C-alpha cells in the first residue's frame, strides 16, 4: 500500500513538473533601481506564459520579490493575482502586499498593470504597479530559443530599468 502511494505521488509530481521543464524560462537580469533605494539590481527568476516569479536583489539594501499567475480571457488579455514582497537588510523585515494584475501581450511587448496593497490603508496613488517589457527581435534569418529584453517597471516609490535574458529551462 505504501509503495503505491509513493508511486502515485512520484507520478503526480512528474506530471506537474514536466510542463514547467518543457515550457519555462530562467530569468537573469541586471539594472538600476531609483526610489527608496537608489542602487544596482540583479534579477533571478522563473517565467512561463501564465506564471512568473522574480527576485530582485539590490546591492546591500535588500530583496524585492514579485510573483503572478494570469488567466487568459476571451478579450485578449490576462488577469490574475499578484504578490509583492520586500525584504530590507537594514531593518531585517519582510513586508508583503497583494493585488490584481492585467497582462497584455502585443507583438514584442508585454505590459502588466495592477494594483497592489496591504489592505491596511488603501491609497490608489501609492498602489499602482506597472511594468513594460520589450523583447528584442530575433536576428534576420535566425530563430533564437532565448529572449533578450529591456524592462521598465514602476511601483511607488521605485522606478527600475532592467536588461535581462530568458533562458529556456
Amino acid at each position: 500500500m505504501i509503495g503505491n502511494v509513493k508511486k502515485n505521488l512520484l507520478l503526480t509530481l512528474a506530471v506537474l513538473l514536466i510542463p514547467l521543464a518543457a515550457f519555462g524560462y530562467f530569468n537573469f537580469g541586471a539594472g538600476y533601481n531609483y526610489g527608496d533605494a537608489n542602487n544596482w539590481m540583479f534579477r533571478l527568476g522563473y517565467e512561463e506564459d501564465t506564471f512568473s516569479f522574480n527576485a530582485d536583489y539590490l546591492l546591500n539594501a535588500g530583496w524585492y520579490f514579485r510573483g503572478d499567475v494570469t488567466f487568459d480571457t476571451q478579450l485578449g488579455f490576462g488577469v490574475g493575482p499578484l504578490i509583492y514582497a520586500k525584504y530590507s537588510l537594514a531593518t531585517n523585515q519582510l513586508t508583503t502586499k497583494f493585488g490584481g494584475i492585467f497582462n497584455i501581450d502585443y507583438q514584442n511587448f508585454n505590459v502588466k498593470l495592477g494594483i497592489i496593497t496591504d489592505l491596511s490603508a488603501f491609497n490608489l496613488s501609492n498602489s499602482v504597479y506597472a511594468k513594460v517589457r520589450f523583447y528584442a527581435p530575433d536576428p534576420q534569418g535566425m530563430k533564437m530559443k532565448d529572449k533578450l529584453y529591456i524592462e521598465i517597471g514602476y511601483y511607488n516609490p521605485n522606478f527600475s530599468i532592467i536588461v535581462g535574458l530568458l533562458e529556456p529551462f
Side-chain angles (χ1 to χ4, degrees):
M1 171 115 180
I2 293 177
N4 286 338
V5 171
K6 287 182 182 180
K7 184 178 175 182
N8 288 339
L9 180 63
L10 288 175
L11 183 62
T12 303
L13 285 175
V15 167
L16 291 175
L17 294 178
I18 286 173
L20 291 178
F23 303 112
Y25 292 92
F26 283 119
N27 188 354
F28 304 99
Y32 200 79
N33 184 67
Y34 303 94
D36 60 359
N38 294 335
N39 211 336
W40 290 101
M41 179 168 55
F42 298 99
R43 172 174 287 174
L44 268 175
Y46 179 82
E47 295 190 13
E48 40 180 77
D49 289 341
T50 60
F51 171 79
S52 74
F53 182 80
N54 292 307
D56 297 335
Y57 175 69
L58 274 68
L59 291 178
N60 300 320
W63 289 88
Y64 293 111
F65 303 98
R66 279 182 298 280
D68 64 74
V69 177
T70 57
F71 303 96
D72 292 332
T73 65
Q74 293 180 351
L75 299 175
F77 60 89
V79 296
L82 169 71
I83 186 169
Y84 181 90
K86 175 184 172 186
Y87 176 74
S88 173
L89 293 175
T91 62
N92 201 21
Q93 279 189 309
L94 178 70
T95 57
T96 306
K97 297 180 179 182
F98 304 95
I101 193 165
F102 289 98
N103 183 30
I104 303 163
D105 288 316
Y106 179 73
Q107 294 180 353
N108 289 341
F109 288 92
N110 174 261
V111 178
K112 291 189 178 185
L113 302 170
I115 302 292
I116 304 172
T117 184
D118 62 359
L119 301 176
S120 63
F122 180 73
N123 182 348
L124 184 61
S125 65
N126 292 334
S127 300
V128 174
Y129 171 83
K131 181 188 82 162
V132 176
R133 183 182 284 181
F134 170 74
Y135 294 102
D138 293 338
Q140 189 168 352
M142 298 180 75
K143 180 66 178 157
M144 307 298 286
K145 291 183 179 180
D146 51 2
K147 298 179 182 181
L148 179 67
Y149 68 85
I150 299 171
E151 178 180 298
I152 298 172
Y154 172 78
Y155 179 60
N156 192 29
N158 294 312
F159 175 78
S160 61
I161 299 173
I162 298 173
V163 175
L165 184 67
L166 295 176
E167 278 293 325
F169 185 52

